[in-house]
Amino acid sequence: MYLLSQSINILSFVNIPLSILTGIICGALLGKGFAIFFKKNHMRDTVKILILLSIAFVLVTLEDILPIPFSGLIAIMFMGIFLQRNHSVASKRLSVKFNKLWVGAEVLLFVLVGACVNISYALKAGMMAILLIFGVLLFRMLGVFICLLKTSLAKSERLFCMIAYCPKATVQAAIGSVPLACGLGCGQIVLTVAVLSILITAPLGAFMIEHTYKKLLKKNKD
């Protein structure tokens, strides 16, 4: 309830690592459990998709019900990761199904997010919001560069990875409206900056990837 009162509870910062940990444990157990279950029980991929989607909705709901810190989104991510590790054959087939579902879901997601944006806030944010977005991109690229320091990738390949991480869209569209939905006073400006980041980085990143991959990457002769 501290969100609705627009105040910050210091305990929420302590709960963040706990929610991540419980989400990882829950997701890992579920992913491994489903891998075993799908191996022993033959069923259509459509049925598997419905089961996984149902569990995903339950996990997101539990995030607000459980008395302990818990991240439903982290649990869903690790459920998929451990399912892929323990039953790669099924995960590949299911990914094809999910890609087909995403065709319609992404239209619905971005249309609804766009409908929530107040254009006047975008105009008020102005240049400062754009500078913030590019500043975040620089830190994002720096983080990718640091992560790749000990890898066997060539310098040109590392540079391409940094460029490839510039586009931002799905996550911003999915969670950009959360502060607004929670009643925070900054909700509108957070959503506006999230949408601006999509409008700026998605086409810019796609353009840079398209015009740099031939120069920075070399085709494997194998």
Side-chain angles (χ1 to χ4, degrees):
M1 298 300 292
Y2 60 87
L3 284 174
L4 295 177
S5 62
Q6 299 185 23
S7 62
I8 298 177
N9 187 342
I10 192 65
L11 185 61
S12 62
F13 292 102
V14 179
N15 288 339
I16 290 174
L18 293 177
S19 65
I20 294 174
L21 180 61
T22 54
I24 292 174
I25 294 173
C26 180
L29 293 175
L30 284 172
K32 194 162 186 178
F34 276 123
I36 298 172
F37 178 76
F38 291 152
K39 286 179 181 179
K40 293 184 177 181
N41 299 274
H42 179 71
M43 61 185 70
R44 296 179 59 183
D45 290 339
T46 303
V47 177
K48 295 176 183 177
I49 290 291
L50 292 175
I51 293 174
L52 292 175
L53 283 177
S54 300
I55 295 299
F57 288 132
V58 170
L59 290 173
V60 173
T61 304
L62 287 177
E63 187 171 339
D64 298 323
I65 297 177
L66 291 178
I68 61 173
F70 176 74
S71 174
L73 295 178
I74 295 292
I76 294 169
M77 289 173 57
F78 274 83
M79 181 175 67
I81 291 172
F82 274 79
L83 176 60
Q84 193 277 332
R85 286 189 173 186
N86 292 276
H87 196 0
S88 59
V89 175
S91 66
K92 289 179 181 178
R93 294 202 307 264
L94 293 176
S95 66
V96 175
K97 293 280 187 179
F98 275 113
N99 284 335
K100 292 179 181 178
L101 286 175
W102 178 239
V103 172
E106 65 178 337
V107 175
L108 183 63
L109 172 63
F110 288 107
V111 167
L112 291 177
V113 169
C116 294
V117 177
N118 190 329
I119 302 300
S120 63
Y121 275 87
L123 296 175
K124 289 179 181 178
M127 188 56 65
M128 292 303 296
I130 297 175
L131 290 175
L132 173 64
I133 292 168
F134 279 102
V136 170
L137 282 181
L138 290 176
F139 278 101
R140 186 182 178 92
M141 295 176 72
L142 177 62
V144 174
F145 174 76
I146 294 173
C147 291
L148 297 176
L149 283 177
K150 296 295 183 178
T151 65
S152 59
L153 296 178
K155 291 182 179 180
S156 59
E157 293 171 332
R158 295 178 189 179
L159 178 58
F160 181 79
C161 289
M162 294 166 64
I163 295 172
Y165 268 83
C166 286
K168 302 164 70 67
T170 307
V171 175
Q172 284 67 33
I175 66 175
S177 60
V178 171
L180 181 62
C182 290
L184 287 174
C186 63
Q188 279 285 1
I189 190 63
V190 170
L191 176 60
T192 300
V193 174
V195 173
L196 280 177
S197 70
I198 297 171
L199 296 176
I200 293 173
T201 63
L204 178 62
F207 178 83
M208 292 174 65
I209 290 172
E210 179 65 26
H211 289 80
T212 59
Y213 79 94
K214 292 182 180 179
K215 297 179 180 178
L216 299 178
L217 301 179
K218 295 181 179 178
K219 184 178 290 188
N220 193 339
K221 294 181 179 180
D222 297 336

